[in-house]
Amino acid sequence: MAKRRVDMTGVETEIRSRRRSRHVPEGEYLLKIMEGTWQDGDKADYINWRFNIVKGVNGKKYSGTTVYTITSLAPKALFNLRSLIFAARGKNMAGKVFNFDPETIVGSVVGATIEDDEYEERIRSRPVDFYPKEKFAEVVAESAAEEEDEDDEEEEETEDDDEDEELEDVDVEDI
């Protein structure tokens, strides 16, 4: 077999097992911004973002997992990019006109809420809300408190249902 010269000078040095992201449980995570690339969209241009999970509410179980999202430049969707820039740099760019290079925030670690998103009949994990990494512990605590409140409300509803059932079993003629 003959050898051939192969030039890999333009190939990324990071070795990934696959390009698709793995599904992770919904919740709060710390994400490292790995890449942001400009894309031409039909209605508006957008930036395609790639993140690696650094830490989640469940510790480092999903550390290294890749997740993706986009930030559209459509006027009604710019809040997503504003939130990501604020989370990465602490600067609120709302109301300003500026030149932006996604590379300026690559490498930053941000807090994010990841939710399930259905796309082409598949469930994928997608960051939907960004905040500064310093707020991670606070947001996790708030999320836990909200879940506890929801559980308490469900228990109260179940208890109310049980009481209603007991009342329905009483026959008026027996009184």
Side-chain angles (χ1 to χ4, degrees), residues 57-108:
V57 291
N58 46 15
K60 295 195 177 228
K61 182 175 180 181
Y62 295 97
S63 181
T65 300
T66 302
V67 291
Y68 299 89
T69 197
I70 64 167
T71 52
S72 173
L73 297 185
K76 290 183 177 180
L78 280 171
F79 67 93
N80 287 316
L81 181 58
R82 178 213 56 212
S83 295
L84 182 57
I85 293 170
F86 179 74
R89 291 287 178 249
K91 295 179 182 176
N92 187 346
M93 302 302 288
K96 299 178 179 151
V97 176
F98 58 97
N99 293 319
F100 179 67
D101 180 357
E103 287 295 314
T104 60
I105 62 172
V106 167
S108 299

Side-chain angles (χ1 to χ4, degrees), residues 14-174:
E14 178 187 355
I15 296 180
R16 297 182 295 246
S17 59
R18 59 184 179 164
R19 191 71 175 154
R20 273 188 304 136
S21 63
R22 189 171 120 200
H23 182 263
V24 298
E26 291 183 317
E28 304 304 320
Y29 292 84
L30 286 177
L31 306 178
K32 183 174 184 180
I33 303 170
M34 303 303 290
E35 179 180 36
T37 55
W38 291 104
Q39 303 292 322
D40 296 328
D42 294 335
K43 297 178 183 176
D45 291 349
Y46 61 94
I47 304 171
N48 193 14
W49 297 99
R50 181 171 55 93
F51 304 88
N52 278 356
I53 294 176
V54 175
K55 180 180 178 183
V57 291
N58 46 15
K60 295 195 177 228
K61 182 175 180 181
Y62 295 97
S63 181
T65 300
T66 302
V67 291
Y68 299 89
T69 197
I70 64 167
T71 52
S72 173
L73 297 185
K76 290 183 177 180
L78 280 171
F79 67 93
N80 287 316
L81 181 58
R82 178 213 56 212
S83 295
L84 182 57
I85 293 170
F86 179 74
R89 291 287 178 249
K91 295 179 182 176
N92 187 346
M93 302 302 288
K96 299 178 179 151
V97 176
F98 58 97
N99 293 319
F100 179 67
D101 180 357
E103 287 295 314
T104 60
I105 62 172
V106 167
S108 299
V109 175
V110 299
T113 303
I114 291 183
E115 293 183 355
D116 289 343
D117 181 37
E118 187 172 343
Y119 179 72
E120 295 181 354
E121 297 182 21
R122 296 183 82 155
I123 301 294
R124 63 182 181 170
S125 300
R126 193 169 75 87
V128 295
D129 188 29
F130 299 100
Y131 50 88
K133 66 181 178 185
E134 295 79 16
K135 299 254 183 204
F136 179 70
E138 180 183 328
V139 172
V140 168
E142 287 175 7
S143 294
E146 287 173 8
E147 284 180 23
E148 193 172 298
D149 289 345
E150 288 174 8
D151 290 344
D152 290 345
E153 287 175 12
E154 287 176 15
E155 285 178 20
E156 288 174 13
E157 288 175 13
T158 303
E159 289 172 7
D160 290 344
D161 291 345
D162 291 343
E163 289 174 11
D164 291 343
E165 288 175 15
E166 289 174 16
L167 291 175
E168 292 172 7
D169 291 342
V170 175
D171 190 4
V172 176
E173 293 177 5
D174 294 338

